[in-house]
Amino acid sequence: MIWGVLMMGILLPQCSAHPGFFTSIGQMTDLIHNEKDLVTSLKDYIKAEEDKLEQIKKWAEKLDRLTSTATKDPEGFVGHPVNAFKLMKRLNTEWSELENLILKDMSDGFISNLTIQRQYFPNDEDQVGAAKALFRLQDTYNLDTNTISKGNLPDPEHQRANGNLVYFEYIMSKEKDANKSASGDQSDQKTTPKKKGIAVDYLPERQKYEMLCRGEGIKMTPRRQKRLFCRYHDGNRNPKFILAPAKQEDEWDKPRIIRFHDIISDAEIEIVKDLAKPRLSRATVHDPETGKLTTAQYRVSKSAWLSGYEDPVVSRINMRIQDLTGLDVSTAEELQVANYGVGGQYEPHFDFARKDEPDAFRELGTGNRIATWLFYMSDVSAGGATVFPEVGASVWPKKGTAVFWYNLFASGEGDYSTRHAACPVLVGNKWVSNKWLHERGQEFRRPCTLSELE
C-alpha cells in the first residue's frame, strides 16, 4: 500500500503539472517560491540529520570512555555490581535504541514535500522550450555564444543606443544629400538605410524583422518626421476628456500609429493582471490546414480573456477605448491579456482576416477587425518591441501607454502594411493587453483618434 501511494506521488506530476511554464514569465515566478519552499524543507532535513548525528556522536564519546576504562581491567570492572548491571543494560537495551536512532529516516518530511511540489515542476517541454528561446535570442539580437552562455546579456541601454547610432548615421547622410534631391517625397520612398550594402526594403522579412528588433533599419526621413506631432486629445469633445485630455504621440505616419501616454494606471494594471493570472493558458494560432487552434513556436506567450461584466475596472477600460477612438466596443472582442515567456515573441502576422480567410470571424458575426488597441502593462528592460517589418516601424514598450492603429482602409480592404510582430523579450517581463475592434457597429460612428481611415 505504501509503495502504491509512493508511486502515485511520483507519477502524479506528469499528469497534473501546469503545461508550458516557459511561455509565461508571470507564471514562472511561482516556481521561485516553490523552490524557496523546497530549500527551506531541505535545510530542515539537514538540521534533523545534524541533530541525529550529534546524538550518535555523544553516544560514541560516552561509550568510548566506558570501554577504554573497562578494557584496562575487565575483571575488576565487571566485579563491581553496578558496572556489571550497566553493561547488561547497555547491551540489552541501549544498543538497540542506538540502532533505531541510526536507522531512523529523517528525510520523510522533505521527500513528502518534494513529492507534493513536483506536480508544479516544469517538464521536458519547458526545458526544451527555454533552450530554444536562448537560441532565438542569440540569433535575433546577434549575441555572442560565449557571452550568452555565461549569462552576460548586453546592457539594455546599449542595445537602444546601437539602434540610435544607425539612425543618426542615416540622418547625417540624408542631410548631405538633401540639396541634391529634386523631390523630398520621392527620396523618402527611394532611399533606405542599408545593412552591409543591402537596402532594407529588399531584405527578406525575417531579416527586416530581426533588424527592427535590434533597433536597426529605421528609415523615416526628417521630412516625414516633421509630420509627426504630440497633442492633447479630448475624444471629439467627450465630457470625460475635456478637462483632462489624453496625451497623444504620433509613432508612425503610414500606417498611422498613435501612442497614448498615461492612459492606464498602475492600480488598474495590477487588477487586470490579478484577474488574468489564474486563467493564463498557452496562446494559440489558427492552423489553416486543420482549421483548429494549435500552439506554435512562433508565438511564445500565455493569454487570458477578460469580460467587462466581471469587473468594473475592465468595463472602465473598455469605455475609455470607446471614448478615445470613437469606435463602438460592444462588438469588440473581450480584453485579451498576454504575458510573454522566456524569449517570448509573436512573429510577423496580421490582426485582420485576409480574403483567403473568409470564415475567420464568422462565428462572432461582427465582421473583420477594423482596428487594434494595445496596452503596455510593463516596461521591458531589453527587447520586446512591437515592429512593423513592411514599413520599418518599431514601437518600444512603455508601461502605462497604449498604441492604436487601423487594420482596414475606409473601403474595408485590409492594410497589409500593418503586418506586425512582437520581438523576443531579451531581458524582463512583458505584459500587454489588447482590444480588437470590429466593423459592425461602426457604420454611423465618427472615428476620433485618427484624422481619417488610411
Side-chain angles (χ1 to χ4, degrees):
M1 182 65 180
I2 295 176
W3 280 105
V5 174
L6 181 59
M7 288 303 295
M8 285 181 64
I10 294 174
L11 294 175
L12 179 63
Q14 298 180 6
C15 59
S16 63
H18 203 298
F21 273 112
F22 75 98
T23 62
S24 170
I25 293 294
Q27 287 188 331
M28 283 183 63
T29 57
D30 295 337
L31 298 178
I32 299 296
H33 299 294
N34 292 344
E35 189 170 43
K36 175 62 176 178
D37 182 60
L38 282 177
V39 170
T40 301
S41 180
L42 180 61
K43 291 170 70 175
D44 291 340
Y45 161 65
I46 293 172
K47 181 65 167 59
E49 288 285 9
E50 289 176 341
D51 292 342
K52 171 182 167 180
L53 288 173
E54 188 63 29
Q55 293 181 58
I56 296 172
K57 181 179 178 182
K58 290 179 180 179
W59 271 78
E61 291 174 348
K62 181 182 74 171
L63 292 171
D64 184 49
R65 291 193 299 269
L66 286 171
T67 55
S68 295
T69 302
T71 53
K72 291 178 182 178
D73 181 11
E75 291 186 2
F77 184 82
V78 296
H80 194 293
V82 174
N83 289 342
F85 167 76
K86 288 185 175 181
L87 177 61
M88 298 299 105
K89 181 176 180 291
R90 283 197 304 275
L91 294 174
N92 181 55
T93 305
E94 296 181 6
W95 274 97
S96 295
E97 294 175 356
L98 178 59
E99 179 184 16
N100 292 334
L101 176 61
I102 292 174
L103 292 175
K104 184 177 181 181
D105 190 350
M106 311 303 293
S107 66
D108 288 349
F110 171 70
I111 294 299
S112 176
N113 191 23
L114 179 60
T115 301
I116 294 172
Q117 294 284 8
R118 190 180 282 118
Q119 64 184 306
Y120 305 111
F121 282 9
N123 55 24
D124 289 344
E125 179 190 1
D126 289 302
Q127 184 172 336
V128 171
K132 288 181 178 179
L134 293 180
F135 286 119
R136 181 164 59 249
L137 293 173
Q138 182 179 345
D139 291 341
T140 303
Y141 295 105
N142 286 342
L143 301 177
D144 177 76
T145 304
N146 185 55
T147 298
I148 196 171
S149 66
K150 293 180 180 179
N152 298 325
L153 294 176
D155 188 327
E157 293 302 321
H158 291 172
Q159 179 203 13
R160 183 71 60 84
N162 289 336
N164 290 341
L165 177 60
V166 173
Y167 180 59
F168 176 74
E169 292 174 345
Y170 168 61
I171 291 298
M172 292 299 293
S173 66
K174 282 297 300 171
E175 288 291 341
K176 292 179 181 179
D177 297 336
N179 294 330
K180 301 178 183 179
S181 175
S183 172
D185 289 335
Q186 291 180 358
S187 68
D188 288 354
Q189 300 297 325
K190 295 181 180 179
T191 308
T192 58
K194 299 196 175 185
K195 177 85 170 171
K196 296 181 179 179
I198 304 175
V200 173
D201 280 345
Y202 299 101
L203 286 174
E205 181 182 64
R206 181 74 193 184
Q207 287 182 259
K208 289 193 287 186
Y209 160 59
E210 292 183 349
M211 288 174 63
L212 291 170
C213 288
R214 295 192 296 268
E216 304 169 4
I218 302 172
K219 65 177 183 180
M220 186 173 288
T221 63
R223 182 181 294 274
R224 288 176 61 186
Q225 271 202 320
K226 290 177 181 178
R227 301 171 184 165
L228 305 183
F229 296 94
C230 294
R231 69 186 70 80
Y232 286 104
H233 177 64
D234 62 11
N236 279 349
R237 305 293 293 173
N238 188 294
K240 298 177 184 177
F241 294 100
I242 290 178
L243 294 180
K247 292 180 280 187
Q248 279 187 354
E249 177 186 3
D250 293 331
E251 286 280 353
W252 206 257
D253 56 351
K254 292 183 180 180
R256 187 116 180 254
I257 305 170
I258 289 181
R259 187 193 294 263
F260 289 85
H261 290 268
D262 303 321
I263 203 63
I264 184 171
S265 69
D266 288 351
E268 289 173 325
I269 288 173
E270 291 308 310
I271 290 174
V272 170
K273 287 167 60 177
D274 288 342
L275 289 170
K277 279 181 182 179
R279 310 183 202 176
L280 289 176
S281 59
R282 179 73 186 270
T284 56
V285 297
H286 182 264
D287 188 334
E289 294 184 2
T290 64
K292 298 180 180 179
L293 294 176
T294 183
T295 60
Q297 286 299 318
Y298 61 82
R299 188 179 189 185
V300 182
S301 64
K302 285 189 175 183
S303 60
W305 298 86
L306 302 181
S307 169
Y309 297 106
E310 59 188 291
D311 192 277
V313 169
V314 179
S315 177
R316 186 164 66 242
I317 289 172
N318 288 340
M319 291 308 301
R320 189 176 305 154
I321 295 172
Q322 177 169 295
D323 292 336
L324 290 172
T325 63
L327 297 174
D328 189 351
V329 297
S330 66
T331 57
E333 295 172 51
E334 293 181 340
L335 187 71
Q336 185 193 56
V337 182
N339 180 227
Y340 288 80
V342 182
Q345 64 164 1
Y346 192 180
E347 292 185 6
H349 62 280
F350 298 102
D351 280 352
F352 63 91
R354 274 77 67 210
K355 290 183 178 180
D356 58 347
E357 301 174 307
D359 300 330
F361 304 114
R362 176 168 292 181
E363 292 183 4
L364 297 178
T366 53
N368 211 342
R369 287 172 172 170
I370 191 173
T372 296
W373 178 286
L374 175 65
F375 284 111
Y376 292 113
M377 301 199 301
S378 67
D379 291 314
V380 180
S381 299
T386 304
V387 299
F388 296 73
E390 290 295 314
V391 297
S394 297
V395 181
W396 299 90
K398 183 179 179 183
K399 186 178 181 181
T401 69
V403 291
F404 175 79
W405 67 86
Y406 280 98
N407 296 305
L408 307 179
F409 291 110
S411 63
E413 293 292 319
D415 183 353
Y416 284 78
S417 69
T418 62
R419 185 170 171 82
H420 61 285
C423 294
V425 177
L426 181 57
V427 181
N429 187 8
K430 182 181 178 181
W431 283 90
V432 298
S433 59
N434 55 271
K435 194 79 172 174
W436 284 303
L437 300 113
H438 285 246
E439 293 176 292
R440 301 296 176 264
Q442 320 305 341
E443 292 85 352
F444 303 104
R445 282 187 167 267
R446 177 190 173 195
C448 56
T449 299
L450 309 183
S451 58
E452 61 182 16
L453 288 171
E454 299 292 350

